[in-house]
Every structure is written in structure tokens, then in C-alpha cells.
Amino acid sequence: MDHLDQLEQQSVFILREAYRHFDRLCMLWSIGKDSTVLLWLARKAFLGHVPFPLVHIDTSYKLPEMIAYRDRLAMEYKLTMIVGQDAASIAAGNTFPATKDLPADDPRKLTRKQCCGLLKSGALKATLHGSGVRKRLDLATGKYEIEPDSEPYTGVIVGARADEEGSRSKERYFSPRDKNNAWDVGDQPPEFWNQFKTDFAPNTHVRIHPLLDWTELNIWEYIKREAIPTVSLYYDQGDGKRYRSLGCGPCQSPIDSTSRNVDDIIAELKSGALKNIAERGGRAQDQEGRGGLEDLRKDGYM
Amino acid sequence: MSVAGPDPKREAAESTHVESRPQMNIVIVGHVDHGKSTLVGRLLADTGSLPQGKLDKVKRECARTGKPFEYAFLLDALEDEQDQGITIDTARCFFKTAARDYIIIDAPGHIEFLKNMISGAARAEAALLMIDAKEGVRENSRRHGWILGMLGIRQVVVCVNKMDLVGYSQAAFDAIEKEYRAFLTGIGAVSPKAFVPIAAITGENLTQRSQAMGWYRGDTVLDMLDGFAKQPPKIALPLRMPVQAIYKFTEHGDDRRVIAGRIETGKVQVGDEVVFSPSNKSATIRSIEGFNAAPRASIEAGWSTGFTLSEEIYVTRGEVMSHKAHAPMVGTRFRANLIWLGRTPMTQGRDYKLKLHTSAIPVRIRKLNKVLDASRLDGELAKDHVGRHDVADVVLETAKPIAFDLSRENDGTGRFVIVDGYDVAGGGIIVESVTDEQDTLRSEARMRDFSWIPGGVTAAERAQRNGHRAALVMFLGKPQVGKHRYARALEKALFDDGKNPYLLDGTNVLLGVDHDLSAEATQDELVRRFGEVAYLILNAGAIVVSTTNAIGMADYGAVQALIGGNPSIAVEVDPTGRSTAACDLRIKGTESEAEVIAKVVTLLKQRQVFSA
Ligand SMILES: Nc1nc2c(ncn2[C@@H]2O[C@H](COP(=O)(O)OP(=O)(O)O)[C@@H](O)[C@H]2O)c(=O)[nH]1
């Protein structure tokens, strides 16, 4: 058993525990490399099946390739694909991209973080809770239809890794969130061995983190080993740039890199060339003000 | 940036072979302020594992705000922590040496955060325990030492830190080593591999030998880390696979019924006969199931896998799969060492939930042997409960028999947590099994089942034909309370509903099977024979409805021990309304037959005896 095997096996164990303990379970799928590895691990755990819905929050600013890739894999893997969106804010132009050219003192102007608060955290909260509209991919037609099920999800599987960013290193494998989706970092339950928090009060939910011990390098090594399909945005298409982390179009920028495929990325990570650049460095919202992602996470961000 | 078409990019990598570097989780523990954060920060800096400029940035920030620089600031990624000035949670840091990659879990030393320390340490393969040379051994030095032992961390190195404050004195170092070793021996904890004198702040003996302490001949901390052995999966131990779930995903034409779980120890191959405890059911491994993996004929400890069996047997989560010759213990009582973290103390007479491997079951304290303050661990506390952060030696009793091992023999099946309400409130290890009243019968039943000669028709096939599984419904209570009337009515109703019930009247067993027993025959033997007869009829696939005056509530446990994994329901008929015996349904004897039948049917459905 090598290190990748160990990581994989622990993740499979965690996924199976989650499936066992939560009737209302879903997995967040951001279309990025981590949550796609997570999806793959679910197929490992459940022998080729994915016995719970995948939830994607569509901010409407995702690059088109990501959406096409999502739907394609959803059809191929026969996923229960649920998409949520803060359609009201988007329609009202209540977003960072729609207001960024307004004068600084205009009350309608939104910061990037406020925009994330609405389009991501807010939409996620509403979709998980069921108060927001859920749309479901009809595998027969390939179209999204309104999903009648509006029960809250009580177990939410998320692809966070501890090495990605400081605040994520504080997570447990099973981290409770209260009814406002808030995370009490200072008072988390103990996690002995492989016994997780699987009992929870009504109206609370539990975030499950099967990838906590994986590093960015491990993710790419696993993508290579398992030949997992990934979005081409991760690779240099000839202009010496690639995305290291995928978010919304207006708030992310590619890094300088000539990695054209998985092998190149593995070599690049091993060489230490990216050591001094934060993985989410291209995500502009993290850079706004003190606290950054940690603030967003306490409020329910993934 | 060009955006390619909508095709998911399948990497046409030549080979899928990946050489992943070995990794080890280590935890750093010790009393607050003894220098954990400094050690971690220094290790990161000295191994070149910090992002460029990060150290300088923090130093500049300190200079700007007029605070003296601390390595702790470097680690404090969270605002909360900086505000309170203490490490709240087990932060993870990554660093690498030539030998391997490390994840350091920096566990908080503050008592308030003991649960975080435990969460961090429970994932570690090795530990560094910090003791301040000047302050010496303190409460949490001791408490953490005990916890490392309980958590099963066998590789421990003690760093005697801040040697600069004691003039790098060998005598001071030796005194601490002596005191702490004596303490650990006293509590029966593992002896540390070594003690290293260090000054974390200046890096003495961290990555380089200290000039100031020429008297020290041992390795540096970093060499010690590289010297820790990676724990190999425990393949040599007997097979243990706690059943995590039974999967049958019928979608898309999948008809596999897979027993899923992680192999904690041992190995197993296709064709092996395996048994499940506590039900004693056995079957042969037909296949090892996976996804996107090469087919395999054998599999071993460490893998989360799944099996199909030669025969469809009814087993549930919480059972442990093993080979017959080396099955786990089965019982309701064991002695354990535990630590309590709950805000509400653990008290006697209260029900908690025990989670042990994959089983979850109500549990109570049967006997509180002693309660200790984990920071002293010398005298006993005169307490009748286990308070927050106390350590206790207890006998626990589960509501039903479960499969377990002693933690020193097999820790995957020998350690547990206790859930109070919604929260994990304590955890511990099993140190000894304690006999209960049913032990003799249970092992008799086990011997019997392990040697059982199966017929040509399986239980699953019978269940298929009958439309239900076998089950026992016992009407219990004093004579003349109406047991027989209800039992007869239930048998008839089930029969009319197309089921296969059989009324086993205790009197009939007395007349025949027990005919040779003299009047003084022990109650035990009557019960044993009754149980064995019931078991035979259960094996024939029937729902056995029984009524007997020969067997009382007190004997119900014995009957259960004899009927293996078959579901059973105890209905007590008690006109007095005063009985408190454990049963599944209590009635007064005034209820209509139809009402009682409906209740029993509901219970049978809950136990998945039949669905319609
Ligand atoms: N003199 C001296 N002080 C040290 C040494 N190591 C740590 N300290 C100081 O001890 C205090 C507590 O250290 P810290 O690493 O925060 O302890 P923690 O609570 O165990 O993480 C800080 O003020 C450190 O600067 C050392 O080797 N020598």
C-alpha cells in the first residue's frame, strides 16, 4: 500500500460512513479538480455508483467549459445532478461584476466578497436548505427541470483539503454546522480514531471532508493514476498560462505556467516552482481585507 | 487564454504509474507554553518549508505593532487564535525531509482544548512531547502522556525544551527524564524512545547538533523523526473486518450484494470460509469487489473493500467478519480505560451510546472501578461519576452482545467512543473482557454454529419462498395472564396472511424433549433445551411464536444467546403494570388480540422479518 492508496482508502471509508449515517446526503461539486477527485472516490466507495445527489452552485460567471464538462460527466456517470443559483441577485444585477464600474460611493456597488456572499454562500445555503430552487438534470433529455424535493440536506460532502489554505486545516473529517450554516471553529467535537460525529440535532447539518489529508500534489498524482477526466482550463493551451484553482471568470486569473498535461503539473509541483504562490492566489476574493476565506467559511462558504 | 471545446479532457498519459512519497503524521503535544509552536515554526523554517518571505512578513508585522516576534504567530492562520493568543485547534503543517513528507499536527496544550488535542493525536503515527526544562513536568505533560498511550501511539520522543534557560545543564535534563519516565512507568504507559535536550527558539538539537550541549550524544529531533518507523498494515494479525454496510445498488442492472467494510487486520482470499460475529453466520468469499481496479483474489489490512458471498446470509452493520479459528470475543461486558470530555459528567444508571468499530449500541456503566484526575494519575478521586477531563477505569455493559477484541491485541476492534446526546463525549480502550450470565451458552452456541452441517437449501432461499425471514416472538409473563391466547391468535393471523408461523408451547417441550429430566432438573437445562428446540425450528425458516410458563423474563437472555442472529421479540404480559423488565412490548392482558397482533407485526417489520 503506498501513500496514495492510504489516502484513497481513508476517503472511501469516510464516504461510506457518511452514506450510512445521513439519509439526506449530498456532495458539493465545484467542477474543480478536488471535488472531481471526490466524485471519483464516491464511485470507488459505491462500486461504480453515486448513490446521492451532486450539488453545484452556478453563479452564472463560471466559464462555459466548466458547465459543459459538468453536464457531460453527469450524463456519463448517471448522476443525480442538482444545480442551485441565486437567480434573483443575478437578474437584479446585484453582483460584483455588474456593479464594478459604478463609482466607489455608489450604494449599489458590491465587493467581491459581498458577491461571493450572495451568489455562493447564500445560494448554497438556500439550495442545501431547500428554500432555494433546485434544478435537476433529466438524464433522458439532458435538460434541467425543477426538482420537487425541497427537504434540507443534513450531510454535505465537501472536497476541502487542509493544505490549501489556513482555515481549512482546522476542519474535522465530520464538522458540524449550526442552523445558520455557521462554523464554530473554537468548539468542535473530538474525533477519536475513525469515530466521527454522526449524531446531530435537528436543523443542524454536518460537513464531511474526505480529502482533508490530501495535498495538491496528491490530487494530481491520483488524477494521473486513475486517469480521471479534468477540465482543460488547468492546462496551458499554448499561451504560457493555466488556472491552478477554478472559480468565477471575473474573479480569477491564471498563473504563469507551461504545464500542458498532468505529468507537467506533477513535475511543476514537485519542483517547488509554485511553493511561494498560494494555491488560491488567483482567487481575488480571498485577498479582500483581513480574514479572507476564513470569514467566508464561517458563514457557510465551501 | 484559449478555452478548449466542451470535451472533458482525458489525459492521455502514457502510464498511470505514480511514485508517491511516503508520508507520516506526527503530533506535537505538551503543556501550554512549553514551546510546541516554536518547535513547529522552527522546523518549518529550518527545513525550508515556509513560503518565501512569510517569516520576514510576520517579523515585520511584529516590529510594526511592537510585539516581540513569536513563532506561534507564524502558525496562527486564524484570527480567533491571534486574538486569544493560544493555539485553538490542531493546525496542520507540511514539511519534508530527504526521507519523507510530514504532516505536523500542532495540538493545543490548553486544557480547554483537550478534545482538539485528542483529535489531532488520534490521527498521528508518532508524537513529540514537549517539556519546559525550567518549569518541569506539569499537568498536561502528564495528561498528554496518558492520552498518547490510550490512543495507541507507540512512538514517542520527549523534547526537553528551553535548555537555554537552565544553562544547558545535563543535571536538569536528567532530572526531568527520570521524573517523567517514572511517571509513565507508574501508569503503565509506553516508554518514550528517547529524550532530547533542545532549545526550540534557537534550533539547538533540532536539525543540527548543539554546540552548547556537547554532553548530549543522541540524535537531533529531525533525525529522530526520520527514524520513526512507518506502521505497516497489520497483515499478520487475525482477520477483522467490521461490516460497514451491505450494498445492493440495483440501478443500471447491478445485482451484486456486497458486504462492505475496511479490513482492520489480517487478510482474506476468495474461497475462504468466513464467519460473522456476533451472529455466527458463515459463508464463503465468492469475489472481492472494487471499481476501476484490477480484479483480485486476496486482500488485506488497510483496504476499504467489499465482498460477495457464496450464499446470501443476513448480516448487518456492526458484525465483525473473521476466520473461524480466530474469531473475536462476543459479550456484553468489558473493562475499559476511558477519558471523558463531555460537559455533563458520565454517571451510573444512565444510557449512552457506544460506538465500537462499526457497531453502535446502548451502553451503561456497570461498575466504576476508579476515577482519576488525568493530570496527576496518582490518588483516586472519591467520585461516583466521571467528570470532564477525568480518566476512569470502568466496566461497561452493552444492551446486546457485540463483537470486540482487547485493544492491546487488536486496536481497530478494541477501542470505542461514547456518545452522549448528539456529541462524542468520551473515548477509551478495552483492557479486559468480563463474563456475563450468558457467556457459557453463547460459546456453546458458537461451537455449535461453527460446526453446523448446512442442508442443501439456504436460509435466503427459504426466506424467498416464505416471504419472510425466521424470527422468534416470545410471550412472557406469569401464568394465567393470557399469553397462550395471544400466541395462538398471532400464529393464526400470520398463517392466514400466508406466512409460515409455528406455535412452540413450552409444555410440549417439557412433555417430550425434557421427559428424561428429573423434577430437580435445573432451570438452566430446561431453558437450554427450549432454546435449542426453538433454534431448530428457526432454521427451518419459521416464525416461532412461543408461550411457556417454564421460562420467565429472566431466561429470555439465555434463549437469545442460543438462537444466534435470528431476530427475536419479547412480549411481556403484565396485568400489574409494575414490571420494569427489558422487553420489546409490554401489554396488560386486557388488550384485544387484534391490537396486540398489529403491534407485533409492526415490530416484525421494523426488524425486517417481512415488509408486507
Ligand atoms: N528561552 C526560550 N524560550 C522559548 C523556547 N522555545 C519557546 N520559547 C518561548 O516559550 C513561549 C511559549 O512557546 P510556544 O511555542 O508559544 O508554546 P506552545 O504553547 O507550547 O505552543 C514563547 O514565548 C516562546 O518564545 C526556547 O527554546 N528557549
Side-chain angles (χ1 to χ4, degrees):
Chain A
M1 251 193 147
D2 67 10
H3 181 56
L4 271 190
D5 289 328
Q6 282 168 6
L7 289 171
E8 173 193 67
Q9 295 303 303
Q10 175 71 355
S11 301
V12 165
F13 180 80
I14 293 169
L15 285 166
R16 287 176 171 179
E17 283 302 279
Y19 181 53
R20 161 69 200 206
H21 288 285
F22 296 91
D23 291 340
R24 298 289 312 169
L25 182 67
C26 70
M27 180 184 274
L28 300 189
W29 187 22
S30 72
I31 327 295
K33 59 188 187 311
D34 302 322
S35 52
T36 304
V37 162
L38 197 54
L39 170 59
W40 190 265
L41 287 165
R43 298 174 81 211
K44 285 257 171 180
F46 307 108
L47 310 155
H49 303 268
V50 184
F52 37 72
L54 277 273
V55 171
H56 176 65
I57 300 304
D58 187 356
T59 60
S60 80
Y61 291 108
K62 300 285 175 196
L63 296 170
E65 192 202 334
M66 292 170 68
I67 303 298
Y69 165 86
R70 174 192 78 192
D71 292 346
R72 191 175 169 124
L73 280 200
M75 298 289 279
E76 190 180 324
Y77 298 169
K78 301 189 171 60
L79 303 177
T80 305
M81 185 71 231
I82 300 287
V83 172
Q85 188 170 62
D86 182 354
S89 294
I90 295 167
N94 222 353
T95 71
F96 163 76
T99 62
K100 71 176 190 301
D101 296 327
L102 294 175
D105 57 352
D106 192 301
R108 286 166 301 168
K109 196 173 166 77
L110 290 189
T111 62
R112 293 177 198 271
K113 229 176 181 179
Q114 285 170 323
C115 182
C116 279
L118 291 171
L119 301 198
K120 288 174 132 184
S121 310
L124 176 65
K125 215 180 277 190
T127 309
L128 293 182
H129 181 259
S131 52
V133 174
R134 293 175 181 164
K135 289 194 173 165
R136 176 193 179 125
L137 182 65
D138 183 331
L139 294 176
T141 63
K143 300 253 176 310
Y144 280 87
E145 312 284 351
I146 303 275
E147 165 66 27
D149 167 41
S150 62
E151 289 288 307
Y153 295 114
T154 51
V156 182
I157 306 170
V158 188
R161 287 181 287 112
D163 76 323
E164 194 177 3
E165 185 278 331
S167 70
R168 293 188 179 185
S169 71
K170 309 285 164 173
E171 294 279 11
R172 301 275 202 259
Y173 292 126
F174 283 58
S175 290
R177 295 292 195 271
D178 72 12
K179 52 178 172 294
N180 300 316
N181 266 19
W183 177 34
D184 189 348
V185 193
D187 186 23
Q188 301 194 66
E191 218 160 62
F192 284 84
W193 310 299
N194 282 313
Q195 297 292 358
F196 309 123
K197 168 147 179 106
T198 51
D199 299 271
F200 55 99
N203 295 324
T204 61
H205 76 263
V206 175
R207 293 257 171 124
I208 299 135
H209 302 113
L211 297 182
L212 215 51
D213 298 332
W214 295 58
T215 62
E216 187 182 7
L217 176 60
N218 297 148
I219 293 285
W220 284 110
E221 287 174 336
Y222 192 68
I223 287 172
K224 171 175 171 158
R225 193 184 89 173
E226 300 287 320
I228 301 172
T230 45
V231 200
S232 68
L233 296 165
Y234 283 116
Y235 310 99
D236 172 25
Q237 306 293 330
D239 57 359
K241 292 193 182 302
R242 69 176 191 89
Y243 288 93
R244 190 172 174 200
S245 165
L246 296 179
C248 294
C251 290
Q252 67 174 354
S253 44
I255 59 164
D256 291 329
S257 160
T258 53
S259 293
R260 291 172 159 270
N261 55 41
V262 178
D263 285 325
D264 290 352
I265 293 181
I266 291 174
E268 184 178 30
L269 288 169
K270 280 190 171 164
S271 75
L274 300 178
K275 198 181 88 184
N276 297 319
I277 308 163
E279 185 178 346
R280 291 175 55 95
R283 310 282 282 273
Q285 69 272 25
D286 294 9
Q287 267 60 263
E288 265 179 2
R290 196 167 176 244
L293 184 60
E294 172 62 16
D295 281 348
L296 286 170
R297 285 176 74 66
K298 278 194 189 143
D299 196 35
Y301 187 84
M302 311 159 217
Chain B
M1 166 116 199
S2 72
V3 172
D7 276 83
K9 179 147 181 133
R10 274 186 207 281
E11 261 320 298
E14 298 284 278
S15 102
T16 54
H17 180 73
V18 172
E19 198 75 53
S20 66
R21 268 169 66 82
Q23 190 191 55
M24 178 174 271
N25 286 356
I26 53 173
V27 66
I28 313 220
V29 299
H31 198 74
V32 66
D33 276 347
H34 283 199
K36 291 177 301 296
S37 310
T38 308
L39 180 88
V40 177
R42 195 69 216 209
L43 275 177
L44 294 182
D46 292 0
T47 54
S49 309
L50 290 172
Q52 207 166 30
K54 180 109 182 186
L55 191 57
D56 289 337
K57 193 173 155 209
V58 179
K59 282 186 172 161
R60 270 201 312 279
E61 178 71 11
C62 286
R64 197 177 60 78
T65 52
K67 280 191 292 191
F69 167 77
E70 288 285 356
Y71 278 98
F73 299 151
L74 190 69
L75 305 181
D76 290 345
L78 284 180
E79 281 176 59
D80 294 28
E81 287 186 335
Q82 285 168 0
D83 293 345
Q84 293 184 30
I86 31 182
T87 313
I88 297 186
D89 205 336
T90 50
R92 290 159 212 230
C93 304
F94 296 78
F95 79 97
K96 51 184 69 166
T97 64
R100 60 179 161 226
D101 294 350
Y102 289 93
I103 299 185
I104 310 183
I105 308 166
D106 175 26
H110 200 277
I111 178 76
E112 266 310 293
F113 302 125
L114 198 61
K115 56 193 167 88
N116 298 335
M117 178 269 165
I118 285 174
S119 309
R123 286 181 204 154
E125 294 153 89
L128 297 180
L129 190 142
M130 307 287 288
I131 299 179
D132 185 319
K134 188 139 183 248
E135 268 198 30
V137 178
R138 294 286 308 272
E139 308 96 84
N140 286 316
S141 322
R142 286 185 281 258
R143 197 180 264 127
H144 289 177
W146 186 89
I147 290 171
L148 292 180
M150 186 212 60
L151 291 174
I153 299 166
R154 315 247 188 278
Q155 311 193 81
V156 181
V157 162
V158 177
C159 298
V160 179
N161 187 29
K162 307 194 194 178
M163 287 300 291
D164 54 314
L165 298 184
V166 295
Y168 302 108
S169 142
Q170 183 174 9
F173 172 77
D174 289 345
I176 287 177
E177 169 161 7
K178 189 158 171 244
E179 176 186 350
Y180 198 60
R181 275 202 194 273
F183 162 75
L184 291 176
T185 312
I187 60 168
V190 262
S191 185
K193 275 185 66 174
F195 282 66
V196 193
I198 64 167
I201 208 152
T202 48
E204 305 289 321
N205 281 335
L206 280 193
T207 56
Q208 307 222 330
R209 300 293 297 266
S210 164
Q211 301 299 320
M213 291 177 277
W215 50 265
Y216 174 71
R217 306 246 168 260
D219 282 337
T220 61
V221 172
L222 204 61
D223 288 340
M224 295 263 176
L225 290 178
D226 280 345
F228 284 139
K230 194 78 194 149
Q231 291 281 333
K234 296 172 184 158
I235 296 168
L237 290 177
L239 172 69
R240 295 287 183 267
M241 190 197 78
V243 175
Q244 204 175 358
I246 316 293
Y247 293 136
K248 193 152 186 185
F249 300 110
T250 45
E251 295 150 30
H252 322 307
D254 191 346
D255 61 0
R256 292 172 294 177
R257 181 173 179 274
V258 176
I259 315 286
R262 171 155 68 189
I263 305 180
E264 294 289 342
T265 54
K267 56 175 187 288
V268 64
Q269 49 190 4
V270 172
D272 279 5
E273 189 180 21
V274 290
V275 291
F276 293 84
S277 301
S279 77
N280 298 337
K281 299 243 167 76
S282 57
T284 303
I285 302 281
R286 188 168 66 190
S287 68
I288 298 169
E289 297 293 326
F291 168 77
N292 201 42
R296 47 197 305 170
S298 75
I299 194 157
E300 70 274 334
W303 292 91
S304 284
T305 182
F307 302 94
T308 64
L309 302 175
S310 58
E311 182 189 324
E312 195 166 304
I313 54 171
Y314 189 87
V315 290
T316 52
R317 181 182 160 100
E319 296 208 48
V320 174
M321 184 176 105
S322 71
H323 289 114
K324 259 181 200 173
H326 302 281
M329 300 180 184
V330 170
T332 57
R333 289 178 202 161
F334 53 80
R335 206 183 113 215
N337 290 339
L338 62 82
I339 184 158
W340 192 250
L341 304 167
R343 288 211 170 81
T344 332
M346 184 183 196
T347 50
Q348 303 185 64
R350 220 189 111 147
D351 275 323
Y352 298 92
K353 180 159 89 180
L354 178 87
K355 291 195 355 180
L356 170 72
H357 51 81
T358 56
S359 67
I361 191 162
V363 72
R364 281 173 179 232
I365 298 181
R366 179 171 171 86
K367 190 156 173 263
L368 194 54
N369 291 334
K370 56 184 175 190
V371 183
L372 299 172
D373 174 347
S375 71
R376 304 214 320 272
L377 298 162
D378 38 14
E380 279 175 47
L381 300 174
K383 278 188 179 175
D384 63 350
H385 62 266
V386 191
R388 190 169 202 207
H389 301 146
D390 285 347
V391 161
D393 174 340
V394 292
V395 174
L396 295 179
E397 178 160 49
T398 55
K400 281 194 177 147
I402 51 165
F404 63 88
D405 286 294
L406 306 187
S407 88
R408 66 171 173 277
E409 283 163 13
N410 199 319
D411 49 22
T413 40
R415 54 201 192 183
F416 59 85
V417 296
I418 292 178
V419 179
D420 186 9
Y422 298 117
D423 297 313
V424 172
I429 55 175
I430 300 179
V431 295
E432 189 184 337
S433 83
V434 175
T435 53
D436 63 33
E437 291 77 11
Q438 261 52 274
D439 268 353
T440 321
L441 285 182
R442 214 179 284 123
S443 41
E444 175 187 316
R446 207 175 204 194
M447 296 289 288
R448 175 198 71 197
D449 289 345
F450 283 6
S451 314
W452 196 263
I453 314 263
V457 181
T458 68
E461 286 163 346
R462 281 184 211 284
Q464 179 92 34
R465 160 94 52 96
N466 287 336
H468 60 79
R469 295 201 288 138
L472 173 66
V473 182
M474 283 190 89
F475 284 88
L476 297 155
K478 300 246 150 44
Q480 306 300 327
V481 291
K483 297 190 298 291
H484 189 80
R485 178 167 56 88
Y486 289 123
R488 269 176 73 104
L490 177 64
E491 182 196 32
K492 185 79 172 80
L494 289 172
F495 185 81
D496 289 346
D497 195 34
K499 310 276 189 293
N500 179 20
Y502 179 76
L503 181 77
L504 177 63
D505 195 308
T507 307
N508 297 340
V509 181
L510 284 173
L511 289 170
V513 174
D514 296 337
H515 182 69
D516 61 322
L517 291 182
S518 61
E520 307 86 73
T522 61
Q523 176 71 4
D524 289 355
E525 183 57 14
L526 289 176
V527 174
R528 194 189 70 79
R529 292 190 183 190
F530 179 87
E532 290 291 0
V533 170
Y535 185 60
L536 288 171
I537 309 173
L538 288 167
N539 265 302
I543 297 175
V544 177
V545 180
S546 87
T547 160
T548 164
N549 286 331
I551 294 181
M553 280 309 292
D555 303 312
Y556 177 59
V559 174
Q560 271 187 313
L562 287 168
I563 61 162
N566 288 295
S568 65
I569 289 166
V571 185
E572 188 184 17
V573 189
D574 171 37
T576 69
R578 283 199 298 271
S579 171
T580 56
C583 64
D584 301 289
L585 176 64
R586 181 167 295 118
I587 55 176
K588 282 200 141 66
T590 51
E591 296 83 348
S592 75
E593 286 145 25
E595 186 186 339
V596 173
I597 289 165
K599 284 187 174 155
V600 172
V601 164
T602 305
L603 287 170
L604 287 169
K605 285 182 181 166
Q606 276 170 12
R607 307 282 160 89
Q608 294 167 359
V609 175
F610 50 80
S611 51

